[in-house]
Amino acid sequence: MEETLRQARENTIQGLSLISQFWGFSKGMGAIYGAIYLSPDPLSLDELVEQIGITKGAVSTNVRHLERLGLVHKRIVIGERKDFYVAETDFWKILKGILQEREKSEFDRALRTVSESLELVGQASPLSPEDATLALFYQKRLHNLSDFFKNLDNLVGALLALENLRSGTQRTLFGKNNEG
Amino acid sequence: MEETLRQARENTIQGLSLISQFWGFSKGMGAIYGAIYLSPDPLSLDELVEQIGITKGAVSTNVRHLERLGLVHKRIVIGERKDFYVAETDFWKILKGILQEREKSEFDRALRTVSESLELVGQASPLSPEDATLALFYQKRLHNLSDFFKNLDNLVGALLALENLRSGTQRTLFGKNNEG
């Protein structure tokens, strides 16, 4: 491979590692996605180990995580016993999947935590005047938090509904569909 | 403090630690924000050490990070030499601040990485037929990535513009303004 092409690949892999880390994923996930994304052919775990320079165990764990998030897909190669991977290139589809599944469960957990706390405050009794004031304060703050999570959930829902229209009139906002 | 009120506070602090970690921040940041959010009075670093059970150094680092993100504010208490902290309770304001500053710089970095890589591919020469094909493939993929980052940036910009209208007609979508 020509040297500047190799540099371009390295630079992209490095950049995606940092972005991955920034968003709360591992650096390895970004690096592996970058390597697969910039490979014209499906890549095996061994090829990834060679290209990224991390252990096979780490590659395997990160690839499984990427697969769950819909960022890479397993591809069967006839006559090969190894698993090969290709990149999902429709980033809106990926974003939508992450928002729908991963973030959805987080919203639910966040709301559950707040509800549980509110329930506990409701069970408190009998209270000293000082604790009664504190209980009211907790209720106000927890309701505020709960409202925020619910509204954020609604906003994400509204965005996903918008994204569903992308194939139609939303092309201007979301840009053209991605190549395969 | 009454036992169920203490449990409600613990539960909220635990929940916010996990949410914080999920979003790529430290667990300590979520825990500290939770403790300050559920305190009727401004809290000092020493009180936070006592409530959360992590070292003063860790509390100090996390509080500074929370302050930068606009999640907590320093509050001067007359006659006290220590710093005290109160929670920002307008979550939309916090989210907007994070999107505007933190994510903005990430988009810029992501776009810069892709531009650099595209430049490198452009500099490659002279190429074997195989490398020429690879260079075209890299250009296609990198343009695809660049388009996505630009569109995502536009989408966030559109959301922020929507948020600017919140005080007016957007109350239904975003919920009522938060209490102080």
Side-chain angles (χ1 to χ4, degrees), chain B residues 6-78:
Chain B
R6 189 183 303 279
Q7 277 173 24
R9 194 185 65 182
E10 270 312 302
N11 187 55
T12 306
I13 288 174
Q14 283 291 328
L16 291 179
S17 307
L18 293 173
I19 292 162
S20 175
Q21 192 179 32
F22 174 80
W23 287 105
F25 298 102
S26 73
K27 285 175 83 167
M29 279 175 72
I32 289 168
Y33 180 78
I36 299 177
Y37 183 69
L38 284 188
S39 171
D41 302 307
L43 289 180
S44 68
L45 296 183
D46 290 331
E47 287 166 313
L48 285 166
V49 168
E50 201 187 309
Q51 287 193 19
I52 312 284
I54 57 177
T55 67
K56 186 148 182 188
V59 167
S60 170
T61 305
N62 284 314
V63 164
R64 270 203 305 276
H65 199 168
L66 287 168
E67 218 185 340
R68 272 203 305 278
L69 290 171
L71 277 150
V72 304
H73 306 291
K74 210 177 270 183
R75 171 74 58 88
I76 305 292
V77 176
I78 307 285

Side-chain angles (χ1 to χ4, degrees), chain B residues 71-123:
Chain B
L71 277 150
V72 304
H73 306 291
K74 210 177 270 183
R75 171 74 58 88
I76 305 292
V77 176
I78 307 285
E80 288 272 6
R81 288 187 55 200
K82 290 177 186 169
D83 289 327
F84 286 81
Y85 294 89
V86 292
E88 172 60 58
T89 58
D90 185 341
F91 299 114
W92 292 108
K93 190 172 149 189
I94 294 167
L95 190 63
K96 190 179 159 185
I98 292 176
L99 283 174
Q100 267 176 334
E101 286 160 42
R102 190 174 131 131
E103 266 59 348
K104 184 64 187 165
S105 68
E106 271 315 292
F107 281 131
D108 291 346
R109 187 164 71 172
L111 276 171
R112 209 163 44 240
T113 296
V114 178
S115 302
E116 280 166 15
S117 298
L118 273 168
E119 233 169 83
L120 283 166
V121 174
Q123 287 164 8

Side-chain angles (χ1 to χ4, degrees), chain A residues 102-115:
Chain A
R102 189 175 133 131
E103 265 60 347
K104 184 63 187 165
S105 67
E106 270 315 293
F107 282 131
D108 291 345
R109 186 164 71 173
L111 277 171
R112 209 162 47 240
T113 296
V114 179
S115 303

